[in-house]
Amino acid sequence: MRPADRLEMFNRLKAANPNPTTELNYTSPFELLVSVVLSAQATDVGVNKATAQLYPIANTPEAIFALGEEGLIPYINTIGLFRNKAKHVIGLCAMLIEKHNSQVPSDRTSLEALPGVGRKTANVILNTIFKQPTMAVDTHIFRLGNRTGLATGKTVLDVEQKLLKNIPKEFLLDAHHWLILHGRYVCQARKPKCNECIINDLCEYSGK
């Protein structure tokens, strides 16, 4: 995709949605961190249903840690891989209490050291909470980057690095949210809605 087309692409996405944000429900950095960990291989809708029951009862590292894995599982057992995620969340809470004064850290190294937190989750937190221009590449963004020609690559890291390079700087802070929403609702995996797409004429997808 040409630089002029990339600029036009994000001008249109911004005009359609000036203030994009995550679809995960949260009221604190800690709640978002837990929700993102729970969202791996799960839908935001499914995570929000579970946390709507959990967070009124426990929404701090101390409160969730006090539940323990067996106490946490009934709240999240509708989410895929819930046993493993319960283990991660309890471990994450313990580390936040022990090493970070129960606060979500604002640097990548500390975030990625937390149980259940990989590069993608760290990027979400750094971007959404700490307003850093990071790019969390999930399946939607990986597909969209390759399909449109915005950022092609064989690995998630390839696409992430090319997105950071190719997206005009003034759009980088919000680009993650624009792209994930576009991939989720328009540029879908099996049958992209090209006839509804506001960047159809800029896209390099051969199947449109």
Side-chain angles (χ1 to χ4, degrees):
M1 189 181 288
R2 298 178 306 163
D5 290 341
R6 295 197 294 263
L7 181 63
E8 177 62 18
M9 172 182 177
F10 283 97
N11 273 319
R12 293 182 192 179
L13 292 173
K14 181 175 183 178
N17 185 4
N19 299 296
T21 190
T22 179
E23 292 188 311
L24 290 169
N25 296 331
Y26 70 98
T27 61
S28 70
F30 174 71
E31 285 187 2
L32 181 61
L33 177 60
V34 171
S35 289
V36 176
V37 170
L38 294 176
S39 72
Q41 298 180 39
T43 66
D44 287 1
V45 172
V47 172
N48 287 339
K49 285 181 180 178
T51 58
Q53 304 302 313
L54 171 64
Y55 290 156
I57 303 299
N59 69 341
T60 65
E62 291 83 359
I64 291 182
F65 183 75
L67 291 175
E69 287 181 42
E70 294 307 312
L72 177 58
I73 283 173
Y75 292 100
I76 66 170
N77 62 9
T78 54
I79 302 172
L81 308 174
F82 64 88
R83 291 192 182 278
N84 207 33
K85 290 176 181 177
K87 181 179 179 181
H88 286 325
V89 170
I90 296 302
L92 177 157
C93 290
M95 190 173 288
L96 289 178
I97 294 166
E98 293 168 11
K99 295 189 174 183
H100 301 288
N101 195 31
S102 297
Q103 300 300 306
V104 176
S106 60
D107 66 284
R108 179 183 300 282
T109 301
S110 297
L111 283 167
E112 291 187 11
L114 297 169
V117 178
R119 184 176 182 86
K120 184 179 76 172
T121 297
N123 279 337
V124 172
I125 299 302
L126 291 172
N127 178 260
T128 306
I129 299 299
F130 297 109
K131 305 305 178 186
Q132 296 183 25
T134 58
M135 183 59 59
V137 178
D138 68 347
T139 55
H140 298 299
I141 294 179
F142 183 80
R143 175 180 68 251
L144 190 149
N146 278 287
R147 182 183 275 168
T148 62
L150 176 64
T152 59
K154 293 184 178 180
T155 69
V156 167
L157 188 57
D158 283 343
V159 171
E160 177 187 331
Q161 290 172 340
K162 287 186 179 178
L163 286 170
L164 291 172
K165 179 183 177 182
N166 292 348
I167 294 171
K169 293 292 185 288
E170 64 265 36
F171 299 109
L172 203 48
L173 186 61
D174 289 322
H176 160 70
H177 296 302
W178 282 318
L179 294 179
I180 196 170
L181 292 170
H182 195 72
R184 185 174 289 165
Y185 296 111
V186 181
C187 195
Q188 296 174 335
R190 294 184 180 180
K191 194 174 181 181
K193 300 177 180 179
C194 297
N195 60 323
E196 299 177 19
C197 180
I198 62 173
I199 59 167
N200 183 303
D201 58 314
L202 308 173
C203 170
E204 297 180 2
Y205 177 44
S206 59
K208 65 181 179 179

